[in-house]
Amino acid sequence: MINFRNTRFIKSAISSEDSLFDMDHIVTIGRSNVGKSTLINCLADHKNLAFVSKRPGQTKLLNYFNVDNKFYLVDAPGYGYRKTGKKDGFDQMMESYFTNNKKLKLVLWLLDSRRELSKEDLEFVEFLSQIEVKVLVCFTKVDKLNQSEKAKITKIARTELANFDFVFTSQFNPKLIEELRNQIAVRL
């Protein structure tokens, strides 16, 4: 049994060499402003554990949260906001984190349920398909969808993201957050 409410911030890592490797990792990743920090706060049932910004691109480091001394929940920087056009230190850090991390057990890939899959999302699908790690797609902000929009998202998940399991999440629906906690627990 995992007590998600027993979650605390440990540190921010500026490089993969600065990362923590004494426990397993579950990483949250997605486009900037998709709700990664909000989801961490919901999982921990703590409003201000992870910093939530109105402006995209504010998370620039790997932020480590110890969850009940069982694993690290790692808040990764969002993709899709920076427009560099070439690989930089950030890209190299993230690629190294995903490909050379023996402690990485699960990727929580957050997608805004109100948005179409972007070019960056489709590139990330390709990347995730090449690494050997479990992936759980978390469609965020589903409280803003009607039933037909939820059906459309489910169809996309079953076709374009067919290699991955998925869940719906909303910061306003405790049942969906509890379901996500259960989905995480069974994958560890």
Side-chain angles (χ1 to χ4, degrees):
M1 184 84 175
I2 300 169
N3 180 2
F4 282 87
R5 289 167 184 86
N6 184 21
T7 299
R8 64 188 190 286
F9 174 76
I10 301 299
K11 72 178 275 187
S12 296
I14 59 173
S15 69
S16 55
E17 292 80 25
D18 195 29
S19 295
L20 300 172
F21 295 108
D22 56 316
M23 288 191 296
D24 290 339
H25 293 190
I26 294 177
V27 65
T28 62
I29 192 154
R31 289 182 56 80
S32 293
N33 218 29
V34 74
K36 295 179 300 295
S37 298
T38 297
L39 188 67
I40 289 170
N41 289 339
C42 289
L43 285 170
D45 197 19
H46 191 295
K47 278 189 171 197
N48 299 311
L49 183 64
F51 176 72
V52 177
S53 175
K54 299 276 186 222
R55 292 186 348 220
Q58 294 305 297
T59 302
K60 296 184 179 6
L61 308 170
L62 293 171
N63 295 305
Y64 285 81
F65 299 87
N66 179 318
V67 180
D68 201 28
N69 294 319
K70 305 257 195 277
F71 64 90
Y72 290 115
L73 188 56
V74 182
D75 186 12
Y79 60 84
Y81 184 70
R82 298 168 315 109
K83 304 287 186 204
T84 61
K86 62 182 190 289
K87 280 203 171 193
D88 58 14
F90 170 82
D91 295 320
Q92 292 168 356
M93 176 182 78
M94 292 311 299
E95 190 171 319
S96 175
Y97 178 82
F98 279 102
T99 57
N100 299 323
N101 186 347
K102 304 266 189 260
K103 292 292 188 175
L104 181 58
K105 300 301 178 198
L106 178 65
V107 174
L108 296 179
W109 182 25
L110 280 64
L111 293 170
D112 187 330
S113 61
R114 304 166 302 163
R115 308 281 181 246
E116 299 284 327
L117 292 178
S118 69
K119 178 183 172 224
E120 289 91 357
D121 293 330
L122 295 173
E123 289 171 358
F124 199 60
V125 168
E126 189 67 33
F127 176 74
L128 288 173
S129 299
Q130 296 172 12
I131 61 174
E132 294 182 25
V133 67
K134 295 175 196 168
V135 176
L136 181 61
V137 177
C138 302
F139 287 104
T140 62
K141 306 174 186 181
V142 296
D143 53 283
K144 300 176 190 255
L145 302 181
N146 61 36
Q147 286 303 91
S148 66
E149 291 168 325
K150 283 183 186 175
K152 181 181 174 184
I153 292 297
T154 300
K155 183 177 179 183
I156 289 170
R158 291 187 175 146
T159 55
E160 296 181 55
L161 305 173
N163 293 337
F164 312 121
D165 292 331
F166 70 94
V167 295
F168 291 126
T169 65
S170 167
Q171 67 176 320
F172 304 110
N173 189 327
K175 287 182 182 177
L176 293 178
I177 298 301
E178 190 58 33
E179 174 60 23
L180 178 56
R181 288 181 187 128
N182 292 335
Q183 292 293 324
I184 291 170
V186 299
R187 285 169 171 78
L188 283 177

